[in-house]
Amino acid sequence: MINKQLANAEEAVADVFDGATIMISGFGEAGSPIELIHALIDHGATNLTVINNNTGSGEVGLAALIKAKRVSKMICSYPRTANSTVFPKLYRSGETELELVPQGTLAERIRAGGSGIPAFYTPTSVGTPLGEGKEHRTINGREFVLEYGLTADFSLIKGRLADTHGNVLYNKTARNFGPLMAMAGNVSVIQAEHIVTPGEIDPEVIITPGIFVNRVVEIQKPAVESELIAAGVSYP
Amino acid sequence: MINKQLANAEEAVADVFDGATIMISGFGEAGSPIELIHALIDHGATNLTVINNNTGSGEVGLAALIKAKRVSKMICSYPRTANSTVFPKLYRSGETELELVPQGTLAERIRAGGSGIPAFYTPTSVGTPLGEGKEHRTINGREFVLEYGLTADFSLIKGRLADTHGNVLYNKTARNFGPLMAMAGNVSVIQAEHIVTPGEIDPEVIITPGIFVNRVVEIQKPAVESELIAAGVSYP
Amino acid sequence: MTNSPQQVGRTRDEMAIRLAQDIPDGSYVNLGIGIPELIAKYVPEGREFIYHTENGLLGMGPSPESGLGDPELINAGKRQVTAIPGAAYFHHADSFAMIRGGHLDLCVLGALQVSSGGDLANWSTGAPDAIPAVGGAMDLVAGVKSIYVITQHCTKNGEPKLVQACTFPLTGCGIVNRIYTNLAVIEVTAEGFQLIELSPGIDFEYVAERTGAPLLPLKDNTK
Amino acid sequence: MTNSPQQVGRTRDEMAIRLAQDIPDGSYVNLGIGIPELIAKYVPEGREFIYHTENGLLGMGPSPESGLGDPELINAGKRQVTAIPGAAYFHHADSFAMIRGGHLDLCVLGALQVSSGGDLANWSTGAPDAIPAVGGAMDLVAGVKSIYVITQHCTKNGEPKLVQACTFPLTGCGIVNRIYTNLAVIEVTAEGFQLIELSPGIDFEYVAERTGAPLLPLKDNTK
C-alpha cells in the first residue's frame, strides 16, 4: 500500500548524486527545509545546481551548503540578503556561478517545468539587462521575452503537515515556492512537522496533492534559521 | 470600505454588453452558475462569445442561453453531452460558431490570460487536426504548438462560500474552471450559497483570493441542473 | 472478413481484469470512459491505485450509494463518484499540470483505431455532421507516462481497429504503449504490433487475420 | 550643483502621507522596501487599502508586537508582519499571476533613477563587483496597473535622480506613472516630466534645477 514516509532526513536524500539539480523551497528563512539541507551536507553530494529564491543567511541551511562548496551554480532572484556573506565571497572568486532570474519569472518557470509547459512568453525583463539575449516576440502590440520551464532532479521542501500519501499543507508565507517545486522535482521530498494518516486532512484544503510528492519525513521541531544565526551556529 | 456584495444576480450582470466575451464556470452541471446565467438571459445581452467546458444540458442554464440565441460563438472542449440538444441544432444550422479546444489547453489558456502570460507552448494536439494551422516549435527535441492566453469581459462563477472581499471557496469537483476564470475575467462575478464577513474564512484555505473577484451575490439554495431537467423545466 | 470459425476471447470484464494485473502497486491512474472504468472494480489483491479524474479529483472512489451522491462530486464522464481517504480536490489548471507534466503513471483509454506506430484515434469519426468533442483525451495522451488502450479487437462490423495507419482524426501520434483486446495483449514497438499474450482459446492466426497491420508473434522467452 | 539656497521640502513621512492621499479607496497595493513601507501608516480616513506582498500574502497587516511574530509570516523585505481579517495565503506562481496579470492597482517603489520617458532603474548600480539582485521588481513594473515612485529628488551627492535617460541598469521601460519626491509631485507624460504639485515652500525653479530633464510647469487649471 502507498506509504511515502521515510525514517529520517538522511534516508530522504541518500540518492542525491553529484551534479544534480536541486530545488530548495523558501523565501529567506520562511519555508527553508533546514534539516533536509543539513542532511544533504552530511551526505556529501557536490557540484550541485541549486534553485532557490535567495542564497541563504549566516552559516546554516542553504548558506552552509554553499559554504561547504557543494554548489557550483545558483539560480535565484535575490542573492543579496542580510547576513548573507557566504555566497558573495564564492561568487566574486568565481567558484559559484549565478543565473539571476526575476522572481515572478523564476516562479513561473518552475510551475511550467512541473506542468509540461516547455516555454512561455512574459513581459518581465523586456528592455532590461536580464532580457538581453533572450528571444523577443511582439504579441498584440506588446513585446515579450521567451522563458523556458525549469525542472530538478530533487526538490527539498518544508511543509507544515503531510500525510503518508504525500498530501501537504504549509504555514503562512512559508508556502512560497514549495507547491511549485513539488511539481517540478523528479523526486520531491517533504519535511513536515507532523505526518498523519490519509483522510485526516480535508481534501478541500490540500495545497500540494500527493501525486507531486515522492517522500515525506517527519521533523517535529524544525530549526528556525534566524535563531540558529542569532546563536552563532555554523553547520556542520 | 471594501464590500463587493450586490443585492442579487440581476444587478451582478446589469452591465453585460452585446458582443461581450463571457466565461462561465462548470464542468457539466458541477459548478454551473445557473442563477447568474438566468439573470443574463433576462438581461438580454446578445451576440456573446461564451467560454465553458461544455454547452449545457436540457433547456436550463447555459443551454437556455444558447437556445435564446444569445451566443454567437462557443469556445469549449466537449460540446457533446447527454441531454445536449440545443447547441448541436444551432451549430449545424451555422447560427453558433464553435472553437474546439482540448480541455487542458483550454484551462491553461484561461490561467495564462489571467496571469499576464500571452502565449505558451504545449505538446497537446501536435499531429492532430486541432494542431493544424498552429505555430509549431521544437524544444529539446520534442514538438509543441503555440497557444494564446484567453481573457473575458465577464466571468460568471459558482462558489460555495465567499466573503465580502471576494475570497471564495468551492464545493468538491465544482471547483473545476472557477478559480481560473476568476483570474481571467475583467469583471468576475461569484454566486455563493453563503457570504460572510472577512476573517471568517481561514486564510490558509482560500482558493480564490479576493483580488480576482469584483462582485459577489448570495444565492442560498442554487438550483441543481439535473433536477430542473428531470422536472422538465425550460427557461425562461 | 475471414472464414475461420468464431473465437470468443475475453469479455469486457475479463479484459479489465487482465489489464489491472499489469498496473504496479501505488500507480496514479486515469481511466477513460467506457471499458476503462471497469478496471477500478478489479484491483489485484495487495495493490493500491490512486485514480485521477481530470475534472479535479485525485483519489476518486466508487459510485455513491443511491441517493447519497453529490451532483458536484462527479467524474470526467459526469457520473457521481466518491472520494477516498487521502483524496484532494484542485482546479483544472492544476489537474492538467498533473497530466501534461507527466505525473500520472498510466492512462487507459478506449479507441476507434490504433496504428502500428502507436497513433491513437478515439475522439471523432470525422463524419461531416458530427459535433466534434475532444475533452481531455489529447492532453492525456500527450502527457501521461504510459498509455494503454482497452478495446474490442474489431468494430461491430468486423473491421480491424488495429491498423497500419489511422483513417479517423488522430488524438495523438506514437503515444500508445499497449493494447488490451478481447483477443490479445499487444505491445506497440518500434517494429510494430508485438503480440504479448493470446486470450485463452485464441489462435495467433485468428488474431493476425483481424489485425490491420503485421502482428509479430510471441517471442520465444525460453531462449 | 546650484547656488540657490537650500530648500527643505517634505520629510519621508510627509512624502508617504502625500502619496497615500492619491490612492483610491479599495485599492490593491504592493509597497516596495524603504520609504514605500511608510505609506501603510498613513491611510486616509475612510479608505481601505489591501496590501499584497509578493511572497504570498494578500491582506498584509502591520508588524506584530514584539515576541508575537511568526518567522514564517514575513513580507518581501523579510520582516515579520501580520495578516488582517480577509487575508489569503498563496504560492509564488499565484502571487505573480496577480502581479503580471494586472490585478494589482498600484505598486509604489523606490528608485535610483527615473527617466522622462518613464524608465525606472532601481535594482542595480551596475558596479562591477556588486552582487546583482532583482527580486520581484521587474515583474511588478511589468504588470501592476500604476507604478508610483517615491524617492528623494536627488542623491546624497546632490545628483538628480530624475534624468533624461537612466545610466543604471533598467528595471523596466516606460512604466513609471508618477513620482513623489521631497520637492514635488511629478507625472510622467508623453511630453516628459510634468509638475503636478510643489511641496510647501518649494519653488519651481529650485525643482527644475535639480531635475536632469526638462520639467513642464504646473498647468493652469483655472482656464
Side-chain angles (χ1 to χ4, degrees):
Chain A
M1 307 315 258
I2 297 173
N3 184 355
K4 299 180 182 179
Q5 184 168 10
L6 298 184
N8 53 46
E10 185 186 348
E11 273 189 29
V13 301
D15 54 350
V16 175
F17 47 89
D18 290 353
T21 295
I22 317 273
M23 291 182 177
I24 300 180
S25 67
F27 180 91
E29 69 175 318
S32 182
I34 296 189
E35 284 75 12
L36 288 176
I37 300 171
H38 287 175
L40 182 59
I41 293 172
D42 298 345
H43 167 62
T46 190
N47 191 26
L48 304 173
T49 294
V50 170
I51 302 169
N52 177 272
N53 189 61
N54 305 104
T55 55
S57 293
E59 297 187 353
V60 295
L62 176 54
L65 185 70
I66 295 170
K67 185 171 182 238
K69 304 204 178 180
R70 306 295 173 70
V71 181
S72 54
K73 181 177 177 181
M74 280 297 316
I75 300 177
C76 69
S77 88
Y78 205 84
R80 221 170 46 202
T81 315
N83 299 316
S84 165
T85 55
V86 166
F87 175 77
K89 197 172 145 198
L90 290 174
Y91 173 70
R92 290 201 179 98
S93 72
E95 288 175 271
T96 303
E97 192 188 340
L98 170 65
E99 180 179 340
L100 189 69
V101 182
Q103 196 172 138
T105 298
L106 182 63
E108 191 68 12
R109 287 180 66 190
I110 297 168
R111 181 198 174 268
S115 304
I117 303 292
F120 60 89
Y121 291 94
T122 175
T124 301
S125 87
V126 169
T128 78
L130 297 188
E132 277 170 26
K134 289 184 175 160
E135 186 176 321
H136 283 59
R137 183 182 185 116
T138 301
I139 300 173
N140 294 327
R142 188 173 179 193
E143 208 172 2
F144 298 91
V145 296
L146 182 65
E147 297 280 359
Y148 293 89
L150 277 173
T151 56
D153 298 305
F154 295 87
S155 288
L156 308 185
I157 297 162
K158 184 185 185 185
R160 181 177 69 76
L161 180 68
D163 68 24
T164 53
H165 278 190
N167 294 301
V168 187
L169 302 185
Y170 299 86
N171 180 39
K172 305 186 180 74
T173 57
R175 190 185 301 187
N176 58 68
F177 287 90
L180 311 174
M181 291 178 169
M183 297 167 76
N186 184 43
V187 175
S188 292
V189 182
I190 304 286
Q191 69 166 68
E193 293 174 47
H194 303 286
I195 295 176
V196 298
T197 305
E200 290 191 44
I201 308 177
D202 177 358
E204 295 278 15
V205 310
I206 287 168
I207 303 300
T208 292
I211 192 171
F212 294 126
V213 173
N214 303 83
R215 302 171 187 171
V216 295
V217 290
E218 190 168 87
I219 306 289
Q220 288 189 355
K221 291 194 185 298
V224 177
E225 186 181 281
S226 51
E227 290 177 4
L228 294 184
I229 294 170
V233 174
S234 176
Y235 195 86
Chain B
M1 307 314 261
I2 297 172
N3 184 352
K4 299 181 180 178
Q5 185 168 10
L6 299 183
N8 53 46
E10 185 185 348
E11 274 189 30
V13 301
D15 55 350
V16 175
F17 48 88
D18 291 354
T21 296
I22 317 272
M23 290 180 178
I24 300 179
S25 67
F27 180 91
E29 69 175 319
S32 181
I34 295 188
E35 285 74 13
L36 289 175
I37 300 170
H38 288 175
L40 183 60
I41 294 172
D42 298 346
H43 167 63
T46 189
N47 191 28
L48 305 172
T49 294
V50 171
I51 301 169
N52 177 272
N53 189 61
N54 306 103
T55 56
S57 293
E59 298 187 354
V60 295
L62 176 55
L65 185 72
I66 296 169
K67 186 172 182 234
K69 303 203 177 180
R70 306 293 174 72
V71 181
S72 54
K73 180 178 178 181
M74 279 299 313
I75 300 177
C76 68
S77 89
Y78 206 84
R80 223 170 45 201
T81 315
N83 298 316
S84 166
T85 55
V86 166
F87 175 78
K89 198 172 144 197
L90 290 173
Y91 173 71
R92 290 200 178 97
S93 72
E95 288 175 89
T96 303
E97 192 187 339
L98 170 66
E99 180 180 342
L100 189 70
V101 182
Q103 197 172 137
T105 298
L106 183 62
E108 191 67 12
R109 288 180 65 190
I110 297 168
R111 179 195 176 269
S115 304
I117 302 293
F120 60 89
Y121 291 94
T122 175
T124 302
S125 88
V126 169
T128 78
L130 298 188
E132 278 171 27
K134 288 185 177 159
E135 188 177 320
H136 283 59
R137 182 182 187 119
T138 301
I139 300 173
N140 293 330
R142 188 172 179 193
E143 208 171 5
F144 299 92
V145 297
L146 183 65
E147 297 280 358
Y148 292 90
L150 277 173
T151 57
D153 298 304
F154 296 87
S155 288
L156 308 184
I157 296 161
K158 184 184 186 186
R160 180 177 68 77
L161 179 68
D163 68 24
T164 54
H165 279 190
N167 294 302
V168 187
L169 302 184
Y170 300 85
N171 180 40
K172 303 185 179 79
T173 58
R175 188 183 304 188
N176 56 67
F177 287 90
L180 311 174
M181 291 178 169
M183 297 167 76
N186 185 42
V187 175
S188 292
V189 183
I190 304 286
Q191 70 167 66
E193 292 174 48
H194 303 287
I195 295 177
V196 298
T197 305
E200 290 191 44
I201 309 177
D202 178 357
E204 295 278 15
V205 310
I206 287 168
I207 303 300
T208 292
I211 193 170
F212 295 125
V213 172
N214 302 83
R215 303 170 186 172
V216 295
V217 291
E218 189 169 88
I219 306 289
Q220 289 188 356
K221 291 194 185 298
V224 176
E225 188 180 279
S226 52
E227 290 177 5
L228 295 183
I229 294 170
V233 174
S234 176
Y235 196 85
Chain C
M1 61 181 286
T2 72
N3 295 321
S4 52
Q6 179 78 24
Q7 297 186 8
V8 176
R10 291 192 165 106
T11 65
R12 289 156 49 104
D13 284 276
E14 287 165 351
M15 289 157 63
I17 291 167
R18 176 62 191 84
L19 192 153
Q21 289 168 6
D22 288 351
I23 307 177
D25 185 31
S27 293
Y28 289 92
V29 180
N30 184 297
L31 299 177
I33 298 167
I35 308 181
E37 293 180 84
L38 298 176
I39 291 166
K41 297 200 295 185
Y42 300 113
V43 179
E45 188 73 26
R47 289 188 224 174
E48 185 178 18
F49 307 153
I50 295 193
Y51 297 108
H52 171 268
T53 180
E54 59 263 36
N55 54 313
L57 170 59
L58 196 67
M60 178 174 68
S63 301
E65 286 179 57
S66 181
L68 296 182
D70 182 334
E72 296 197 320
L73 175 46
I74 60 176
N75 67 9
K78 305 196 173 71
R79 292 219 302 234
Q80 291 185 14
V81 294
T82 52
I84 66 164
Y89 298 110
F90 33 81
H91 62 53
H92 252 77
D94 282 348
S95 184
F96 282 83
M98 294 174 192
I99 292 171
R100 201 190 305 102
H103 301 282
L104 286 159
D105 297 302
L106 176 65
C107 177
V108 185
L109 291 167
L112 294 167
Q113 292 176 324
V114 183
S115 82
S116 57
D119 298 350
L120 173 68
N122 81 339
W123 68 284
S124 168
T125 59
D129 72 334
I131 310 291
V134 66
M138 286 187 183
D139 305 280
L140 285 161
V141 301
V144 176
K145 283 178 200 156
S146 290
I147 304 294
Y148 288 1
V149 161
I150 189 164
T151 179
Q152 300 298 333
H153 206 86
C154 296
T155 68
K156 282 174 188 164
N157 298 328
E159 298 294 321
K161 290 184 149 199
L162 281 63
V163 295
Q164 192 71 42
C166 297
T167 55
F168 294 138
L170 293 186
T171 309
C173 296
I175 42 72
V176 175
N177 302 101
R178 280 196 170 203
I179 310 161
Y180 294 77
T181 79
N182 50 323
L183 303 183
V185 180
I186 291 167
E187 183 125 345
V188 179
T189 69
E191 287 73 41
F193 292 129
Q194 168 69 57
L195 182 65
I196 296 291
E197 180 186 297
L198 292 166
S199 295
I202 305 294
D203 304 334
F204 173 77
E205 291 69 24
Y206 189 84
V207 182
E209 279 169 2
R210 283 158 181 79
T211 301
L215 179 65
L216 300 169
L218 277 179
K219 286 187 179 163
D220 182 355
N221 289 322
T222 57
K223 274 188 275 195
Chain D
M1 59 177 291
T2 72
N3 297 321
S4 51
Q6 179 77 22
Q7 297 185 10
V8 176
R10 291 193 166 106
T11 64
R12 289 157 48 105
D13 284 277
E14 288 165 351
M15 289 158 61
I17 290 167
R18 175 64 192 82
L19 192 154
Q21 290 169 6
D22 288 351
I23 308 178
D25 185 33
S27 292
Y28 288 91
V29 180
N30 182 295
L31 299 177
I33 298 166
I35 309 182
E37 291 180 84
L38 298 175
I39 292 167
K41 297 200 296 187
Y42 300 114
V43 179
E45 188 73 26
R47 289 188 223 175
E48 185 177 17
F49 307 152
I50 295 193
Y51 299 109
H52 171 268
T53 181
E54 59 263 35
N55 54 313
L57 168 61
L58 195 67
M60 178 175 66
S63 301
E65 286 179 57
S66 180
L68 296 181
D70 181 334
E72 296 197 320
L73 176 46
I74 60 176
N75 67 10
K78 306 197 172 75
R79 292 220 301 235
Q80 291 186 14
V81 295
T82 51
I84 65 165
Y89 298 109
F90 33 82
H91 62 53
H92 253 77
D94 281 350
S95 184
F96 282 84
M98 295 175 190
I99 291 171
R100 202 189 306 101
H103 301 283
L104 286 160
D105 297 301
L106 177 64
C107 177
V108 185
L109 291 168
L112 294 167
Q113 293 176 323
V114 183
S115 82
S116 59
D119 297 351
L120 173 67
N122 82 339
W123 68 284
S124 167
T125 59
D129 71 333
I131 308 293
V134 67
M138 286 187 183
D139 305 280
L140 286 160
V141 302
V144 177
K145 284 177 197 155
S146 290
I147 304 294
Y148 288 1
V149 161
I150 189 163
T151 179
Q152 300 298 332
H153 206 86
C154 295
T155 67
K156 284 172 188 164
N157 298 329
E159 298 294 322
K161 289 184 148 197
L162 282 63
V163 295
Q164 194 69 45
C166 298
T167 55
F168 294 137
L170 293 185
T171 311
C173 295
I175 44 71
V176 175
N177 301 101
R178 281 195 168 202
I179 309 162
Y180 294 76
T181 79
N182 50 323
L183 302 183
V185 179
I186 291 167
E187 182 123 348
V188 178
T189 70
E191 288 72 40
F193 291 130
Q194 168 68 58
L195 181 66
I196 296 291
E197 182 186 294
L198 292 166
S199 294
I202 305 294
D203 304 334
F204 173 76
E205 289 70 24
Y206 189 85
V207 181
E209 280 170 1
R210 284 161 180 77
T211 302
L215 180 65
L216 301 169
L218 279 177
K219 286 186 178 164
D220 182 355
N221 288 322
T222 59
K223 278 186 276 194

